[in-house]
Amino acid sequence: MGPHPAVAAIRLAVRRVLHDVLNELTEIPRTAVGVTTSTARHAGGRSADRRHTEGQGPDRSPLVLVACSGGADSMALASALAFEAPKLSVRAGGITVDHGLQAGSSLRAAEVAARLTDLRLDPVEAIAVTVGRDGGPEAAARDARYAALDEAAERLGADAVLLGHTRDDQAETVLLGLARGSGTRSLSGMAAVSPSGRYRRPFLHLDRQTARKACLVQHLPVWDDPMNADPAYTRSRLRHEGLPALEKALGKGVVEALARTAQLSRDDADALDAWAADADSSVRDETGLLDCAKLYGLPPAVRRRVLRRALVAAGSPAGSLFARHIEEVERLITGWRGQGAINLPGRVEARRQGGRLVIRQG
């Protein structure tokens, strides 16, 4: 008799991602022949000769880490990685992050690390972080967590880090983006593969109950973070109040529909981003400044993306640039009435001068 259907589903999802990682790694030497370190980039932004420069040798076994909180989603992911990785000659390790936000968090992190070790993952680390205040508690914790995962991945030479986000998480992310009114990119939710190529989300097509069931039938202990049920947090309210209310009003299938919306929105956003990248050079003058008349001639969705690219390139942090900032800058193009400079995050200033859009940091 084969494994339980839930276990089979999570293993298959992880197996596919591991195959993707391996295929990408085998393409690197072939596509990077004769290319220097500064220009040899594989899809996802990883250096083609990274494995050589880290001193680990070109023939080492790939290393894939799982980020594990001890909850059902990430424990199911860890168990699937531990099962599938050896069959593909992939080294599998685990990282758990102690945010220090609750009493006994360091002990809990040590327990999670022990569970990962029991699964025969190696290396395994529990990393303590200090959570700041920028952007609110949820965003600050997320920033601290990813910073720790990035550092560990770089130090250990990991080829990928797996995250346990499920289809339910994707649906919540889409609704949060809709509430912020942030546009197509925000509605696209979480990517299966991050732009850097480092982070992979194998479970975006699986629901939360599948992961929990997989833990149950494998007798894997899980920890339910009380913060996930705390109504003080927006995502928690959405999970326990918002989505159930939507399903009651609209019927079952809301989560699946929202996840499908995320993929469709991502496809649209990717196409528009590519259009904006191509259009960027065509709307600049010989000195490299953005020509307001040429910008005016672009479709609004493309124009706003060109503006956003320019603001980020000038030093405005992408995570701090909101739709209202882009709209204010766009009015220098579409609603010009002699208004003055616009101050933006990152001490970036945008002003219209002589028919050109001048963006500088200072």
Side-chain angles (χ1 to χ4, degrees):
M1 182 181 296
H4 187 279
V7 176
I10 65 169
R11 288 178 178 175
L12 176 59
V14 169
R15 189 184 317 141
R16 287 172 171 165
V17 168
L18 293 180
H19 277 295
D20 289 343
V21 172
L22 289 172
N23 288 338
E24 291 171 12
L25 290 175
T26 56
E27 288 172 6
I28 287 174
R30 183 170 64 251
T31 58
V33 173
V35 185
T36 63
T37 302
S38 61
T39 59
R41 295 282 170 180
H42 182 263
R46 291 179 295 176
S47 174
D49 58 354
R50 185 190 65 184
R51 289 179 290 172
H52 300 269
T53 58
E54 288 174 350
Q56 298 185 30
D59 298 322
R60 72 168 178 87
S61 297
L63 172 62
V64 174
L65 302 174
V66 57
C68 185
S69 66
D73 302 341
S74 58
M75 281 302 299
L77 182 59
S79 71
L81 177 62
F83 181 83
E84 294 292 338
K87 297 192 292 184
L88 297 173
S89 298
V90 172
R91 293 183 298 138
I95 303 293
T96 186
V97 177
D98 172 17
H99 298 86
L101 298 176
Q102 302 173 29
S105 64
S106 60
L107 177 61
R108 191 170 300 111
E111 291 174 349
V112 173
R115 292 172 190 171
L116 296 178
T117 299
D118 289 343
L119 289 172
R120 298 188 177 180
L121 297 181
D122 181 35
V124 168
E125 294 187 3
I127 302 175
V129 298
T130 299
V131 177
R133 297 182 178 180
D134 292 345
E138 292 169 284
R142 182 176 61 250
D143 290 345
R145 179 168 60 255
Y146 277 101
L149 293 173
D150 281 337
E151 186 279 329
E154 291 288 344
R155 174 167 44 80
L156 297 172
D159 296 286
V161 179
L162 306 189
L163 305 175
H165 298 117
T166 65
R167 186 170 62 194
D168 300 79
D169 297 305
Q170 185 75 297
E172 293 162 7
T173 301
V174 172
L175 282 177
L176 289 170
L178 183 63
R180 288 193 296 265
S182 301
T184 307
R185 177 56 68 187
S186 185
L187 293 181
S188 66
M190 297 174 286
V193 182
S194 68
S196 69
R198 169 169 290 161
Y199 294 102
R200 315 281 173 135
R201 296 180 173 90
F203 290 174
L204 285 184
H205 66 289
L206 299 176
D207 61 31
R208 193 172 285 143
Q209 283 304 114
T210 297
R212 185 168 289 276
K213 185 66 175 179
C215 290
L216 179 64
V217 299
Q218 294 179 102
H219 307 291
L220 292 172
V222 299
W223 172 66
D224 290 315
D225 187 346
M227 293 178 69
N228 289 335
D230 189 342
Y233 297 99
T234 304
R235 187 176 285 269
S236 176
R237 294 195 301 273
L238 182 60
R239 179 174 302 177
H240 298 288
E241 300 173 23
L243 271 173
L246 281 175
E247 290 198 332
K248 182 178 180 180
L250 302 175
K252 295 292 184 181
V254 169
V255 168
E256 292 87 343
L258 288 169
R260 188 164 57 252
T261 296
Q263 185 57 58
L264 294 172
S265 297
R266 180 166 297 280
D267 292 342
D268 290 348
D270 287 345
L272 288 168
D273 286 347
W275 187 351
D278 290 340
D280 187 89
S281 59
S282 69
V283 295
R284 294 182 182 271
D285 64 16
E286 62 279 0
T287 68
L289 292 178
L290 290 167
D291 185 302
C292 294
K294 292 178 180 178
L295 281 169
Y296 186 87
L298 291 176
V302 178
R303 180 172 56 238
R304 286 191 288 268
R305 282 167 167 78
V306 171
L307 293 175
R308 181 179 178 83
R309 284 167 54 90
L311 295 173
V312 172
S316 198
S320 301
L321 270 178
F322 303 128
R324 59 183 175 83
H325 295 129
I326 308 300
E327 289 168 2
E328 289 177 10
V329 176
E330 188 179 26
R331 277 195 285 271
L332 295 176
I333 311 300
T334 61
W336 173 242
R337 299 183 306 279
Q339 58 263 48
I342 296 172
N343 295 315
L344 299 154
R347 297 184 298 108
V348 170
E349 177 188 273
R351 68 167 63 242
R352 179 165 174 156
Q353 185 175 324
R356 301 295 186 266
L357 189 64
V358 180
I359 301 173
R360 62 166 61 96
Q361 190 177 45

